Amino acid sequence: MSLDRSEAERLLGELIAPWVRDLRLSFETIDAGRVSVRMPFDERLTRIGGTVCGQALMALADTTMVFVVSSAIGEFRPMTTVSQSSNFMRPIAGADVIAEGRILRLGRTMAFGEVFIRAAGSEAPAVHVSSAYALIAEPAKAAAAPPSPH
């Protein structure tokens, strides 16, 4: 199993909340356990001073990690964010934003990863995000009930 760009784009369009889709995210790279996502610069995502707001950056990191975990598994599996810790090191203004995520540990029920966020054209990290996700078990398929004697 592997998660390729076309499948990731389909999942982004179908599973991700509409307001997150409004960020116009696109995939730069997808490898097993590593994903890079671009968020185009948009004045609507800035705060006073013209810097990209933390809320947009955290949504970018969280969405990136969903695809990092999915790429490590090889397909999308329901999951939920357990924790997300962000360290903001420098502002991003007037540039697209690049999020590069990687899996740190993938278990049966939990996944741990990190995302580095930077301005496009810069290698200097602007944000570092550590995340943990609970992998939600798919409901077991109900066994066919035996036919009723009546």
Side-chain angles (χ1 to χ4, degrees), residues 8-150:
E9 289 170 354
R10 183 187 71 75
L11 293 169
L12 183 65
E14 291 178 10
L15 300 177
I16 303 301
W19 70 269
V20 175
R21 289 194 308 266
D22 289 346
L23 297 174
R24 301 184 344 241
L25 305 179
S26 61
F27 296 97
E28 298 278 296
T29 60
I30 299 175
D31 295 309
R34 291 185 176 269
V35 174
S36 179
V37 177
R38 177 180 293 261
M39 182 175 72
F41 178 77
D42 188 327
E43 290 285 337
R44 296 179 319 131
L45 302 177
T46 63
R47 57 182 209 76
I48 296 170
T51 61
V52 179
C53 70
Q55 296 92 332
L57 296 171
M58 290 182 74
L60 170 61
D62 191 49
T63 305
T64 298
M65 277 307 304
V66 167
F67 289 95
V68 167
V69 173
S70 296
S71 73
I73 294 170
E75 64 183 354
F76 175 79
R77 188 167 144 200
M79 64 189 83
T80 189
T81 309
V82 173
S83 70
Q84 184 177 23
S85 175
S86 302
N87 296 298
F88 296 89
M89 298 176 271
R90 64 176 35 89
I92 298 176
D96 287 0
V97 180
I98 306 295
E100 297 170 328
R102 68 183 182 124
I103 200 80
L104 297 174
R105 181 175 185 285
L106 177 63
R108 283 185 318 102
T109 61
M110 292 290 297
F112 300 88
E114 67 181 349
V115 176
F116 284 95
I117 296 175
R118 61 182 172 80
S122 172
E123 292 303 315
V127 184
H128 175 251
V129 181
S130 297
S131 303
Y133 291 78
L135 304 176
I136 300 169
E138 299 274 355
K141 293 186 177 172
S148 172
H150 301 286

